[in-house]
Amino acid sequence: MIAVLKNGTTPDQVQHLVDWLKNMNLDVHISQGAEVTILGLIGDTSRVDIDLLKSLEMVETVKRVSEPFKQANRKFHPLDTIIEVGNARIGGGYFAMIAGPCSVENEDQIIEVATAVKQSGANILRGGAFKPRTSPYAFQGLKDEGIRLLLKAKKATGLPIVTEIMNISTLDLFDDVDIIQVGARNMQNFDLLKELGKTNKPILLKRGLANTLQELLMSAEYIMSEGNSKVILCERGIRTFETATRNTLDLSAVPVLHSLSHLPVVIDPSHATGKANLVAPMAYAATAAGADGIMIEVHNNPACALCDGAQSLTPPQFDEIARKVRQIREVIA
Amino acid sequence: MIAVLKNGTTPDQVQHLVDWLKNMNLDVHISQGAEVTILGLIGDTSRVDIDLLKSLEMVETVKRVSEPFKQANRKFHPLDTIIEVGNARIGGGYFAMIAGPCSVENEDQIIEVATAVKQSGANILRGGAFKPRTSPYAFQGLKDEGIRLLLKAKKATGLPIVTEIMNISTLDLFDDVDIIQVGARNMQNFDLLKELGKTNKPILLKRGLANTLQELLMSAEYIMSEGNSKVILCERGIRTFETATRNTLDLSAVPVLHSLSHLPVVIDPSHATGKANLVAPMAYAATAAGADGIMIEVHNNPACALCDGAQSLTPPQFDEIARKVRQIREVIA
Amino acid sequence: MIAVLKNGTTPDQVQHLVDWLKNMNLDVHISQGAEVTILGLIGDTSRVDIDLLKSLEMVETVKRVSEPFKQANRKFHPLDTIIEVGNARIGGGYFAMIAGPCSVENEDQIIEVATAVKQSGANILRGGAFKPRTSPYAFQGLKDEGIRLLLKAKKATGLPIVTEIMNISTLDLFDDVDIIQVGARNMQNFDLLKELGKTNKPILLKRGLANTLQELLMSAEYIMSEGNSKVILCERGIRTFETATRNTLDLSAVPVLHSLSHLPVVIDPSHATGKANLVAPMAYAATAAGADGIMIEVHNNPACALCDGAQSLTPPQFDEIARKVRQIREVIA
Amino acid sequence: MIAVLKNGTTPDQVQHLVDWLKNMNLDVHISQGAEVTILGLIGDTSRVDIDLLKSLEMVETVKRVSEPFKQANRKFHPLDTIIEVGNARIGGGYFAMIAGPCSVENEDQIIEVATAVKQSGANILRGGAFKPRTSPYAFQGLKDEGIRLLLKAKKATGLPIVTEIMNISTLDLFDDVDIIQVGARNMQNFDLLKELGKTNKPILLKRGLANTLQELLMSAEYIMSEGNSKVILCERGIRTFETATRNTLDLSAVPVLHSLSHLPVVIDPSHATGKANLVAPMAYAATAAGADGIMIEVHNNPACALCDGAQSLTPPQFDEIARKVRQIREVIA
């Protein structure tokens, strides 16, 4: 970490600051220039409160040189992490094709969709049981019954399942769930992350709507620092000024995260865009950008003429996407 | 709620959609224009999934006419909510002067600061015991010991206290805390909000870094819908592209929230700006904008020459702010 | 256009508003509901000042139903626009592979790069002559000499050229330029757009850093409304809170713009990302998303060991990108 | 300027870079640490292309230590700039109360409003003649006729006038205009800025919707580097995700700009908020934050019942604002 001190800082003030930093077990290397004084801080700077340091009157600017995440950092773990779940693998050249309905509704629905997407090449089944909703009056999912139905679909198809947890008090219900999802709104629910770090289940960690990629990696670090290194990162759109799409899908997250971290990166184009006609192009783009997986909403409700064109795709639409995704992967391999 | 259908939607499709909406106990009023068909939805539209509706192929646009929040809504509760806590009142013309250190460090510190800020006119003491931190390796506060020290300061000065909760499992520790704070990162931790809605304590609810004012009110609604109507809204800066300040303090939140809701609105200029020299101007601006309170970080560490100029102010600096804030309140009364 | 009036608006006020709107040659269709009054405005609403209308006390909300752009609108021009320039075509299934150096530096450089990128399959040469720079003290390009050198490279290779204009007073210099580029900072320099609308040259219009896709189309409309319909839209990244990349490349712009407009859409991954290792993945992603072209910075400076890894790619790196882009285009065709 | 090099950079690469930098007339001070190599660049770094430097493979990060603006920089000009225009002064303790209609409509209107606002204490008259509009089909102002009418109002009241220029070709029309305004969309129209720098008129420079405060100061620098040091900075709201207000007024811009620059800072609450009921609180807040002036839209159209509640205020509403603004200025003096 480097701290640049303001012009006009007195030697006494510099000494005060250096003493304070040494107190935190840091080595401090002072470089006195004509215009500025630069302090190089050597040691475990991950514990330094960078905001406090920046806010000191004498400090012009502070810059981390080494990233504050360690276990998620590719520098210390050059090889890609490969996460195994059932017969599926994610990362290091293995691709996760995750598909399923937004919400689990009933047994027929979930088994039918699971069977269809498996046939098209999906290797993981998704489905919402606990649904975080902006309004307290909105439908919040089938909850434990939803998980029970997902497990039936898992049994029927052999597909491993991923579903979202909202509260650590429900962890028991996830005993037979293969991957536990942390939603965007809980990305910085640090107590939840720490508890999930004590399990040995793969965690699919979604990026918060206004969180930087470094913050995403710091949240992964919360899980990993408790002993669970099976973290899958997921980009699902960030909040910007643009209103033509629900959120702005940040596909540069794929190569950026790959350069910073060894963890696999999955893209969710369904939630980011909010329109079915955007899901396919963004799924292809995510694949071409080098993602380790995509996560697609698929419904199967022939009776509901309305649902065509909604955020969810039909099984035949998913089938075409899955096919082209495989072809794009061959091109960029 | 109004749904505008696309040109070219067939009568059959319109009928399908109308039936689906009626199924949700809504009255549907169809207005057929030359270019567009407009559906007016009457009834309890708070349960309608607006994202799903928008994502339908035939739907051009959906617009709520009535706000989805009810108990927080000024339309149904025209009078300002006044929240009483100890000898302090907040809202409806009463002003909360909340001050104290960022983190509780030890007994001397917290009692000294509490005594000083009370003398300057503060009527509520703040102090962090549980600290949400981006890094798992950073200091996370004194936790239960921090709350114990805050209670000592409360006893010594008579000031009611506000401190942050991060996890519902620690609720017992807050028995004698006067106001429970929900931090920005937990604004959409819906399970936490629901549990706090079952208490009868005032909740200071901070706006998330990327949350709209309507989402803030929906989160207040989560608390209120469980029976606790004592919610204090707090603006503490939003995330934008500007890097000169830690966050961008959105002071128009004050008159906007006052027009939409009867709940009191408090401003936290310390966290938003991250620099001591910005706290005073933003505190004056917040007061002039009509805020029902401000929340200021004050430290008292004469030995720490370093801390001057940090985000926290000294007691004499706070004393001047408190005095001018009272004068500005007289001007705008 | 639909205007929803607030509850409690008097019949007199409604009449005032209706008279005012009729004065603008609009038909007004009043739909009186139990809770709200809705006005449907029929006619040429593109002249209505939507901000003024929204700001009226009695108005709850205003929503455009038809887009305010006409000539750029796919509804009125269902077929893709195909723009011809030299031997290249853009749009409607034709792909623009635009490559060249950031700035034109000297004759050898530009001809060497032009020759190399042509061999790899580029069909248009790019190069900066007038460079908009944040600092008045920074190098602002070779200006007219830069254009002269580009024309030499055009003559040597047969490639049509695209370069940026910053000021209409320099238009004469662009006589033999094939495509005139409008930079992101000038996207809403309306007087410049109008003058370019009076030429018959293709205009490559870059999206402003904080402009919505609708605003981009409105700026295209400025050019088209003066008679020049040869507009190429270009996404080059928007400004968000994320700092890992220079800007956030919004690839969903491709399918969104294609659904709203018949104009071709080109992606510039070099400026958006600012790092060479991100250019290739984003070029593949742009192609997979269905873009009508990409625009890549290529330099050729074997003497400058420094430049490796900069935003610009070397000719061999570009050659690989061009090859894979062609393969991805076959997959999604 | 400081450049931190990546771990693993070879001595040869370092030497290449150092030679390249020395070529730009910079002194380079190398500080070789255990983990990183830091280069301190001394000299006129304002000409260094920071984006290019950052994009080099071997470079971890680059940080400016000295600001890239010089003439606008308070470090080199500690005293506040005071701009005189007619009988008004702006900056250094003098306050600009700028008021007038959004657009000049006719002689009666502009003279009536000018007379009214002068009586309430306004010392500068504003009015739009050339109006930048998103749509080419919208009313674009009375243009030269609008300026003629403003000059009549100036003659009638003695108030100096400010109005916007969109195109340098119209500069002659501004001969008797006292302050020339550059709109937000033209903040980085560098050719326009340079031409205005050759005049000796005060320039009111509005911040672009997505521009940082440093970029605003760099645009001021464009004007000042050509010889015109009379620049007034104006904050008018930035683009964020929040939709409750038209833009988000960033009032921390006032103390931040005051700390970085000696130029006066004016706030425009009318355009930022877009609703009359938000103008007064934001005008008070701007004053309390220490602004050197405010700019308020005032209309005078008793016949137009519609206009009440629009973004513009009536003269009596402005009168109350002006009175309270004076009182707040006394408090914070």
Side-chain angles (χ1 to χ4, degrees):
Chain A
M1 189 180 283
I2 292 163
V4 180
L5 306 190
K6 280 189 185 146
N7 226 330
T9 306
T10 67
D12 259 25
Q13 286 177 305
V14 175
Q15 196 53 50
H16 265 292
L17 181 58
V18 169
D19 290 348
W20 182 66
L21 292 165
K22 286 187 169 166
N23 241 0
M24 289 189 252
N25 286 321
L26 296 171
D27 277 345
V28 182
H29 175 255
I30 306 178
S31 168
Q32 186 75 48
E35 278 188 79
V36 291
T37 302
I38 302 172
L39 305 185
L41 315 186
I42 318 284
D44 183 5
T45 58
S46 62
R47 286 158 203 272
V48 176
D49 183 344
I50 194 168
D51 280 337
L52 175 61
L53 198 56
K54 273 183 183 168
S55 74
L56 298 179
E57 182 65 30
M58 74 177 77
V59 174
E60 178 88 38
T61 184
V62 181
K63 188 86 198 169
R64 282 193 188 281
V65 174
S66 55
E67 295 89 0
F69 48 95
K70 312 222 164 296
Q71 303 205 39
N73 200 328
R74 189 178 283 277
K75 281 187 190 156
F76 310 127
H77 307 256
L79 291 183
D80 288 343
T81 283
I82 298 173
I83 291 173
E84 293 195 42
V85 49
N87 292 322
R89 284 188 179 82
I90 312 172
Y94 296 97
F95 195 79
M97 189 80 85
I98 309 171
C102 179
S103 294
V104 180
E105 289 168 23
N106 59 58
E107 186 169 338
D108 285 356
Q109 172 233 21
I110 189 68
I111 290 183
E112 212 170 299
V113 174
T115 308
V117 298
K118 186 186 180 185
Q119 203 162 340
S120 296
N123 51 8
I124 300 174
L125 176 66
R126 55 149 292 155
F130 293 92
K131 303 291 298 175
R133 306 297 303 273
T134 305
S135 167
Y137 309 118
F139 174 62
Q140 319 238 334
L142 290 184
K143 301 181 182 174
D144 45 351
E145 170 67 5
I147 291 183
R148 210 179 51 79
L149 298 177
L150 276 170
L151 292 173
K152 285 206 174 177
K154 174 184 175 179
K155 200 169 172 188
T157 59
L159 289 178
I161 58 176
V162 54
T163 193
E164 179 166 349
I165 195 168
M166 285 179 63
N167 191 330
I168 202 64
S169 71
T170 63
L171 184 59
D172 287 352
L173 298 170
F174 289 74
D175 270 354
D176 297 317
V177 168
D178 301 278
I179 303 176
I180 302 180
Q181 176 175 317
V182 175
R185 293 183 184 86
N186 275 320
M187 193 201 92
Q188 292 193 318
N189 183 340
F190 300 123
D191 281 3
L192 177 62
L193 300 179
K194 278 192 271 192
E195 292 302 317
L196 294 173
K198 293 169 188 161
T199 73
N200 65 355
K201 297 222 179 257
I203 309 297
L204 188 136
L205 178 65
K206 289 198 159 184
R207 179 184 186 183
L209 265 81
N211 287 110
T212 62
L213 295 173
Q214 177 166 310
E215 286 169 344
L216 173 61
L217 290 169
M218 290 309 293
S219 286
E221 193 78 11
Y222 258 97
I223 298 167
M224 298 173 88
S225 69
E226 298 287 337
N228 181 356
S229 60
K230 291 183 267 183
V231 180
I232 303 159
L233 306 169
C234 180
E235 157 69 23
R236 41 79 71 228
I238 58 173
R239 195 162 255 188
T240 70
F241 61 84
E242 177 60 69
T243 55
T245 45
R246 193 189 296 162
N247 296 121
T248 298
L249 190 65
D250 177 12
L251 285 179
S252 54
V254 177
V256 169
L257 288 172
H258 277 167
S259 72
L260 294 172
S261 177
H262 51 92
L263 297 172
V265 180
V266 160
I267 299 289
D268 175 350
S270 299
H271 282 91
T273 60
K275 281 277 187 191
N277 64 321
L278 304 179
V279 172
M282 289 301 101
Y284 303 149
T287 307
D292 302 296
I294 53 174
M295 197 165 176
I296 307 259
E297 281 191 16
V298 178
H299 76 94
N300 186 14
N301 194 346
C304 173
L306 290 172
C307 303
D308 290 327
Q311 169 181 305
S312 292
L313 303 173
T314 59
Q317 289 174 319
F318 174 71
D319 191 67
E320 186 186 346
I321 290 178
R323 190 168 42 80
K324 289 195 179 169
V325 160
R326 284 189 294 268
Q327 292 176 315
I328 291 172
R329 279 182 53 71
E330 277 169 37
V331 172
I332 63 157
Chain B
M1 190 181 281
I2 291 164
V4 180
L5 305 189
K6 279 189 187 147
N7 228 330
T9 307
T10 66
D12 258 24
Q13 287 177 304
V14 175
Q15 196 53 48
H16 266 293
L17 181 58
V18 169
D19 291 348
W20 182 65
L21 292 165
K22 285 187 171 167
N23 240 1
M24 289 190 252
N25 284 322
L26 296 171
D27 276 345
V28 183
H29 175 256
I30 306 178
S31 167
Q32 185 75 50
E35 279 189 79
V36 291
T37 303
I38 301 170
L39 304 185
L41 314 186
I42 318 283
D44 183 5
T45 57
S46 62
R47 285 158 203 272
V48 176
D49 183 344
I50 194 167
D51 280 338
L52 175 61
L53 197 56
K54 273 182 184 169
S55 74
L56 298 178
E57 182 63 33
M58 75 177 77
V59 174
E60 177 88 38
T61 185
V62 181
K63 188 87 197 168
R64 282 194 189 280
V65 174
S66 55
E67 295 88 1
F69 47 96
K70 312 224 163 294
Q71 301 205 40
N73 199 326
R74 189 177 281 279
K75 281 187 190 157
F76 309 128
H77 307 256
L79 291 183
D80 287 344
T81 283
I82 298 173
I83 290 174
E84 294 196 42
V85 48
N87 291 322
R89 283 188 179 82
I90 311 172
Y94 295 98
F95 195 80
M97 188 80 86
I98 308 172
C102 179
S103 293
V104 180
E105 290 169 22
N106 57 58
E107 186 169 337
D108 285 355
Q109 172 232 24
I110 188 67
I111 290 183
E112 212 170 298
V113 174
T115 307
V117 298
K118 186 187 180 185
Q119 203 161 341
S120 295
N123 52 8
I124 299 173
L125 176 66
R126 56 148 292 155
F130 293 93
K131 303 291 299 175
R133 305 298 302 273
T134 305
S135 167
Y137 309 118
F139 173 61
Q140 318 239 336
L142 291 183
K143 300 181 181 174
D144 46 351
E145 171 67 5
I147 291 184
R148 211 180 52 79
L149 297 177
L150 275 171
L151 292 173
K152 285 206 173 177
K154 174 184 175 178
K155 200 168 172 188
T157 59
L159 289 178
I161 59 175
V162 55
T163 194
E164 179 166 348
I165 196 168
M166 284 179 63
N167 190 330
I168 203 63
S169 70
T170 63
L171 186 59
D172 288 352
L173 298 170
F174 289 75
D175 271 355
D176 297 316
V177 168
D178 300 279
I179 304 176
I180 302 179
Q181 177 176 317
V182 175
R185 293 182 184 86
N186 275 320
M187 193 200 92
Q188 292 193 317
N189 183 340
F190 300 124
D191 281 2
L192 177 62
L193 300 179
K194 279 192 270 193
E195 291 303 317
L196 293 173
K198 292 170 188 160
T199 73
N200 66 355
K201 297 224 179 256
I203 308 297
L204 188 135
L205 178 65
K206 288 198 161 186
R207 180 184 185 182
L209 264 80
N211 287 110
T212 63
L213 296 174
Q214 178 166 310
E215 286 168 344
L216 174 60
L217 290 169
M218 290 309 293
S219 285
E221 194 78 11
Y222 257 98
I223 298 168
M224 298 173 88
S225 68
E226 296 288 337
N228 181 357
S229 59
K230 289 183 267 182
V231 180
I232 303 160
L233 306 169
C234 181
E235 156 69 23
R236 43 76 74 226
I238 58 173
R239 195 162 257 187
T240 69
F241 61 84
E242 177 61 67
T243 54
T245 44
R246 191 188 297 163
N247 296 121
T248 299
L249 190 65
D250 177 12
L251 286 179
S252 54
V254 177
V256 169
L257 288 172
H258 278 167
S259 72
L260 295 172
S261 177
H262 51 92
L263 296 172
V265 180
V266 161
I267 299 289
D268 175 349
S270 300
H271 282 90
T273 60
K275 281 276 187 190
N277 65 322
L278 303 180
V279 173
M282 289 301 102
Y284 303 150
T287 307
D292 301 296
I294 54 175
M295 199 164 175
I296 307 258
E297 279 190 17
V298 178
H299 76 95
N300 187 13
N301 194 346
C304 173
L306 291 172
C307 302
D308 290 326
Q311 170 181 305
S312 292
L313 303 173
T314 60
Q317 289 173 319
F318 174 70
D319 191 68
E320 186 187 346
I321 290 178
R323 188 168 44 78
K324 288 195 180 170
V325 160
R326 284 190 293 271
Q327 292 176 316
I328 291 172
R329 280 183 51 72
E330 277 170 37
V331 171
I332 63 157
Chain C
M1 191 179 282
I2 291 164
V4 180
L5 305 190
K6 279 189 186 147
N7 227 332
T9 306
T10 66
D12 259 26
Q13 287 177 305
V14 175
Q15 197 53 49
H16 266 293
L17 181 57
V18 169
D19 291 349
W20 183 65
L21 292 165
K22 286 188 169 166
N23 240 1
M24 289 189 252
N25 284 322
L26 296 171
D27 276 345
V28 183
H29 174 255
I30 306 178
S31 167
Q32 185 76 48
E35 280 188 78
V36 292
T37 302
I38 302 171
L39 304 185
L41 315 186
I42 319 284
D44 182 5
T45 58
S46 62
R47 286 158 203 270
V48 176
D49 183 343
I50 194 166
D51 280 337
L52 175 61
L53 197 55
K54 273 182 184 170
S55 74
L56 298 179
E57 182 64 31
M58 74 176 79
V59 173
E60 179 87 39
T61 185
V62 181
K63 189 85 197 170
R64 282 192 189 281
V65 174
S66 54
E67 294 88 1
F69 47 96
K70 310 222 164 299
Q71 301 204 40
N73 200 326
R74 188 177 283 277
K75 281 188 190 156
F76 309 127
H77 307 256
L79 291 183
D80 288 344
T81 283
I82 298 172
I83 291 173
E84 295 196 42
V85 47
N87 291 323
R89 284 188 179 80
I90 312 172
Y94 295 98
F95 195 80
M97 189 80 86
I98 309 171
C102 179
S103 293
V104 180
E105 290 168 23
N106 58 58
E107 185 169 339
D108 284 356
Q109 171 232 24
I110 189 67
I111 290 183
E112 211 170 296
V113 175
T115 307
V117 298
K118 186 186 181 188
Q119 202 160 341
S120 296
N123 51 9
I124 300 174
L125 175 68
R126 56 148 292 155
F130 293 92
K131 302 292 298 176
R133 305 298 303 272
T134 305
S135 166
Y137 309 117
F139 174 62
Q140 319 240 334
L142 291 183
K143 301 180 181 175
D144 45 351
E145 170 67 4
I147 291 184
R148 210 178 52 79
L149 297 177
L150 275 170
L151 292 173
K152 285 204 173 177
K154 173 184 175 178
K155 199 168 173 189
T157 59
L159 288 178
I161 58 175
V162 55
T163 194
E164 179 167 347
I165 195 168
M166 286 180 60
N167 189 330
I168 203 63
S169 71
T170 63
L171 185 59
D172 287 353
L173 298 170
F174 290 73
D175 270 355
D176 298 316
V177 168
D178 300 279
I179 304 177
I180 301 180
Q181 176 176 315
V182 175
R185 295 183 184 85
N186 274 321
M187 193 201 92
Q188 293 193 316
N189 182 342
F190 300 124
D191 281 3
L192 177 62
L193 300 178
K194 278 192 270 191
E195 291 302 318
L196 293 173
K198 293 172 188 158
T199 72
N200 66 354
K201 297 223 179 256
I203 309 297
L204 188 136
L205 178 65
K206 289 199 159 185
R207 179 184 185 183
L209 264 81
N211 287 110
T212 62
L213 296 173
Q214 178 166 311
E215 287 169 344
L216 174 60
L217 290 169
M218 290 309 293
S219 285
E221 194 78 12
Y222 258 98
I223 298 167
M224 299 172 88
S225 69
E226 298 287 336
N228 182 356
S229 59
K230 292 182 264 183
V231 180
I232 302 160
L233 306 170
C234 180
E235 157 69 24
R236 43 78 73 225
I238 58 173
R239 194 162 257 187
T240 70
F241 60 85
E242 177 60 69
T243 54
T245 44
R246 191 189 297 162
N247 297 120
T248 298
L249 190 65
D250 177 13
L251 285 179
S252 55
V254 176
V256 170
L257 288 172
H258 278 166
S259 74
L260 294 173
S261 177
H262 51 92
L263 297 172
V265 180
V266 161
I267 298 290
D268 174 351
S270 299
H271 282 90
T273 60
K275 280 277 186 191
N277 64 323
L278 304 179
V279 172
M282 290 301 100
Y284 303 150
T287 307
D292 301 296
I294 53 175
M295 198 164 174
I296 307 259
E297 281 191 15
V298 178
H299 75 93
N300 186 14
N301 194 347
C304 174
L306 291 172
C307 302
D308 288 327
Q311 168 182 305
S312 291
L313 302 173
T314 58
Q317 289 173 318
F318 174 70
D319 190 67
E320 187 187 346
I321 290 179
R323 189 170 42 79
K324 290 195 179 170
V325 160
R326 283 190 295 270
Q327 292 175 315
I328 291 173
R329 281 182 51 73
E330 276 169 37
V331 172
I332 62 157
Chain D
M1 190 180 284
I2 292 164
V4 180
L5 305 189
K6 280 189 186 146
N7 229 329
T9 306
T10 66
D12 259 26
Q13 286 177 306
V14 176
Q15 197 54 49
H16 265 292
L17 182 57
V18 169
D19 291 348
W20 182 65
L21 291 165
K22 286 187 170 167
N23 240 0
M24 288 189 255
N25 285 321
L26 296 172
D27 276 346
V28 183
H29 175 256
I30 306 179
S31 166
Q32 185 76 48
E35 279 188 80
V36 292
T37 302
I38 301 171
L39 305 184
L41 315 186
I42 319 284
D44 182 5
T45 59
S46 61
R47 285 158 203 272
V48 176
D49 183 344
I50 194 167
D51 280 337
L52 175 61
L53 197 55
K54 274 183 183 168
S55 74
L56 298 179
E57 183 63 32
M58 73 176 78
V59 174
E60 178 87 39
T61 183
V62 181
K63 188 86 197 170
R64 282 192 187 280
V65 175
S66 55
E67 295 88 0
F69 47 95
K70 311 223 164 298
Q71 302 204 38
N73 198 327
R74 189 178 282 278
K75 281 188 190 156
F76 310 128
H77 307 256
L79 292 183
D80 287 344
T81 284
I82 298 173
I83 291 173
E84 294 196 41
V85 48
N87 291 322
R89 284 188 180 80
I90 312 174
Y94 295 98
F95 195 80
M97 188 80 86
I98 309 172
C102 180
S103 293
V104 180
E105 290 169 22
N106 58 58
E107 184 168 340
D108 285 357
Q109 172 233 23
I110 189 67
I111 290 183
E112 213 170 295
V113 174
T115 308
V117 298
K118 186 187 180 185
Q119 204 162 342
S120 296
N123 51 9
I124 299 174
L125 176 67
R126 57 148 290 154
F130 292 93
K131 304 291 298 176
R133 305 298 302 272
T134 305
S135 166
Y137 309 117
F139 174 62
Q140 318 239 336
L142 291 183
K143 301 180 180 175
D144 47 349
E145 170 68 4
I147 291 184
R148 210 180 52 78
L149 296 177
L150 275 171
L151 292 173
K152 284 205 173 177
K154 174 183 176 178
K155 199 169 173 187
T157 59
L159 289 178
I161 58 176
V162 55
T163 194
E164 179 167 348
I165 196 168
M166 285 179 62
N167 190 329
I168 204 63
S169 71
T170 63
L171 185 59
D172 287 352
L173 297 171
F174 290 74
D175 270 354
D176 297 316
V177 168
D178 300 280
I179 303 176
I180 302 180
Q181 176 176 317
V182 175
R185 292 183 185 85
N186 275 320
M187 193 201 91
Q188 293 193 317
N189 182 341
F190 300 124
D191 281 3
L192 177 61
L193 300 178
K194 278 192 270 192
E195 291 302 318
L196 293 173
K198 293 170 187 160
T199 73
N200 65 355
K201 297 224 180 254
I203 308 297
L204 189 136
L205 178 65
K206 289 198 158 184
R207 179 185 185 183
L209 265 79
N211 287 110
T212 62
L213 295 173
Q214 179 167 310
E215 286 169 343
L216 173 60
L217 290 169
M218 290 309 293
S219 285
E221 194 78 13
Y222 259 99
I223 298 167
M224 298 173 88
S225 69
E226 298 286 337
N228 182 356
S229 59
K230 291 182 267 183
V231 179
I232 302 159
L233 306 169
C234 181
E235 157 68 25
R236 43 78 73 227
I238 57 174
R239 194 162 257 187
T240 70
F241 61 84
E242 177 60 68
T243 55
T245 44
R246 192 187 297 162
N247 297 119
T248 298
L249 190 65
D250 176 12
L251 285 179
S252 54
V254 176
V256 170
L257 288 173
H258 278 166
S259 73
L260 295 172
S261 176
H262 50 92
L263 297 172
V265 180
V266 161
I267 299 289
D268 175 350
S270 300
H271 282 90
T273 59
K275 280 278 187 189
N277 64 323
L278 303 180
V279 173
M282 289 301 100
Y284 303 150
T287 307
D292 301 296
I294 53 174
M295 197 162 174
I296 308 259
E297 280 191 15
V298 178
H299 77 93
N300 186 13
N301 194 346
C304 173
L306 290 171
C307 302
D308 290 326
Q311 168 182 305
S312 292
L313 302 173
T314 59
Q317 289 173 320
F318 174 70
D319 190 67
E320 187 187 345
I321 289 178
R323 189 168 43 78
K324 290 195 178 168
V325 160
R326 284 189 294 270
Q327 292 176 314
I328 291 172
R329 280 182 51 73
E330 277 170 36
V331 171
I332 62 157

